[in-house]
Amino acid sequence: MKDVAKHFELFLRQRSLRLTRQREAILKAIYGTHRHVTAEELYELLQKAGDAKALRISRATVYRTLSLLAEGGFVQALELGRDRGTLYEHTLGHEHHDHMVCMACGKIIEFHDDELEQVQAAAIRRHGFEATSHRLNVFGTCAKCQEKGKGSAAGEAQAG
Amino acid sequence: MKDVAKHFELFLRQRSLRLTRQREAILKAIYGTHRHVTAEELYELLQKAGDAKALRISRATVYRTLSLLAEGGFVQALELGRDRGTLYEHTLGHEHHDHMVCMACGKIIEFHDDELEQVQAAAIRRHGFEATSHRLNVFGTCAKCQEKGKGSAAGEAQAG
DNA sequence: CTCGAAATGAGAACGAGTCTCAACCGCGGG
DNA sequence: CCCGCGGTTGAGACTCGTTCTCATTTCGAG
């Protein structure tokens, strides 16, 4: 986290941007949670935290900073349908991973598989495409919810 | 296409829904293009086409029908960031495929790889998850744009 | 400390998508 | 072939995530 702050400062300096209290607070906030948060959640979180230090942060600043952090690779946006807003997760200290979203309980599970990455990369290359990033989102039912659902009613959920 | 209309009629009948001229027109429109279209594009398209037949279709109906078609598995939604709206593609006659999005020219390339699918399925199963669907979106530069970019300026684009 | 430029706050604006509800019309029954 | 029930539609209001505007504040180099 100390490290991250350093990196962020450097990143800003490189682009002649300023290190403001707001930006610091936002970086700290998103690195202080292990969850996937929306801009709004982060905003509310910062409202509370900020009261103590008399530091008000507007919604606009949260959005702006989140974009900045995404550009710098400090956070990553996750888009899982237009119903919820964009979710953010911090990236430093988390290697690339994919997401499984449980349609029953809403849990988001991160996973990583080397073989999968390799096969993916190969398939993409085979098509002459040069990938800079990729996102795999899996929708379905997590282990826990499979248990729960065994006797009782069934679920729905579908698409491709 | 004739086939699809039949299937759709059946689908509606099973759910005691009605086959209206609007629904027919929308189904026909989305099966009449090979592109990925937004609800808005489809709406405009239908405005023109409808003038001839004096059939006006409202935006609401386009959205409603698109959802219905998605439920029935006739179309599939593609979400590639909040900047554009949701894209739709018809599914019947198209097996499952993933998407590569060129950040330079905006082209969307569909591809499919059996090995990839298998490895994916295995990785997911290994985590005790039961998948009902998944989406792999790859962002980068298509072969054509790689050529173009070779001598001149570079591109940006990034994320995970 | 000074000053210019970047950053912020508040709220207006935007836009994709949804909702409302009166008018409409598929479609099964008579 | 007409009737009527209730699903469907159109128009536009509405929602809500996100971006924009612009006056004011605040970094931070000198």
Side-chain angles (χ1 to χ4, degrees):
Chain A
M1 176 60 219
K2 258 290 169 42
D3 239 38
V4 175
K6 264 274 153 39
H7 277 97
F8 185 43
E9 203 177 330
L10 251 155
F11 168 73
L12 291 173
R13 200 172 294 272
Q14 279 172 4
R15 307 176 51 146
S16 316
L17 298 177
R18 294 175 185 168
L19 179 60
T20 62
R21 288 177 303 153
Q22 285 86 340
R23 284 176 178 162
E24 264 188 309
I26 292 168
L27 181 71
K28 195 169 157 192
I30 200 161
Y31 269 84
T33 180
H34 52 289
R35 298 193 313 109
H36 296 82
V37 294
T38 61
E40 182 65 24
E41 285 168 347
L42 210 48
Y43 169 70
E44 282 164 23
L45 217 148
L46 287 161
Q47 289 301 92
K48 286 178 214 150
D51 277 345
K53 312 186 205 67
L55 176 61
R56 301 199 87 283
I57 298 185
S58 72
R59 233 175 289 263
T61 297
V62 174
Y63 278 101
R64 285 188 283 232
T65 303
L66 243 17
S67 302
L68 189 62
L69 290 172
E71 268 183 68
F74 296 93
V75 305
Q76 202 161 64
L78 241 193
E79 292 166 8
L80 306 172
R82 74 267 69 159
D83 43 333
R84 331 173 204 186
T86 301
L87 292 172
Y88 290 90
E89 62 184 356
H90 61 254
T91 47
L92 271 45
H94 274 252
E95 289 327 300
H96 167 77
H97 55 262
D98 298 306
H99 295 92
M100 302 188 293
V101 184
C102 178
M103 309 288 273
C105 66
K107 190 166 49 175
I108 299 176
I109 301 161
E110 306 183 346
F111 73 105
H112 175 83
D113 189 290
D114 276 319
E115 190 193 353
L116 176 53
E117 294 299 324
Q118 284 167 27
V119 174
Q120 255 172 23
I124 293 164
R125 228 178 295 121
R126 202 173 304 134
H127 286 269
F129 199 81
E130 189 180 309
T132 54
S133 75
H134 64 270
R135 281 274 190 296
L136 171 63
N137 294 324
V138 181
F139 301 89
T141 317
C142 70
K144 200 170 287 179
C145 288
Q146 283 172 47
E147 285 307 314
K148 275 188 230 153
K150 273 207 177 128
S152 55
E156 53 258 43
Q158 60 147 314
Chain B
M1 175 61 221
K2 258 292 172 38
D3 241 38
V4 175
K6 265 273 154 39
H7 278 98
F8 185 44
E9 203 176 331
L10 253 155
F11 168 72
L12 291 173
R13 199 172 294 272
Q14 280 172 2
R15 309 178 46 148
S16 315
L17 299 177
R18 292 176 186 169
L19 179 59
T20 62
R21 288 177 303 151
Q22 286 86 338
R23 285 177 177 163
E24 263 188 311
I26 292 168
L27 181 72
K28 197 169 156 191
I30 200 161
Y31 269 83
T33 181
H34 51 289
R35 300 192 312 110
H36 297 82
V37 293
T38 61
E40 182 65 25
E41 285 169 347
L42 210 48
Y43 169 70
E44 283 164 22
L45 217 148
L46 286 161
Q47 290 300 91
K48 286 180 212 151
D51 277 345
K53 313 186 204 66
L55 177 61
R56 302 199 89 281
I57 297 184
S58 71
R59 234 175 288 261
T61 298
V62 174
Y63 279 102
R64 285 188 284 232
T65 303
L66 242 18
S67 301
L68 190 62
L69 290 172
E71 268 183 65
F74 297 93
V75 305
Q76 202 161 64
L78 240 193
E79 291 165 10
L80 307 172
R82 76 266 71 158
D83 43 333
R84 333 174 202 188
T86 301
L87 292 172
Y88 290 90
E89 61 185 356
H90 60 255
T91 48
L92 272 46
H94 275 251
E95 290 327 301
H96 167 76
H97 55 262
D98 298 307
H99 295 92
M100 300 188 295
V101 184
C102 179
M103 308 288 272
C105 67
K107 192 165 51 174
I108 298 175
I109 301 160
E110 305 181 347
F111 74 104
H112 175 83
D113 189 289
D114 275 321
E115 190 194 353
L116 176 54
E117 294 299 324
Q118 284 168 28
V119 174
Q120 254 172 25
I124 294 165
R125 227 177 297 120
R126 201 172 305 135
H127 287 269
F129 200 80
E130 188 180 309
T132 55
S133 76
H134 64 270
R135 282 272 190 295
L136 171 63
N137 295 323
V138 182
F139 301 89
T141 318
C142 70
K144 200 171 288 179
C145 289
Q146 283 172 46
E147 284 308 315
K148 274 188 232 154
K150 273 206 178 130
S152 55
E156 55 257 42
Q158 60 146 307

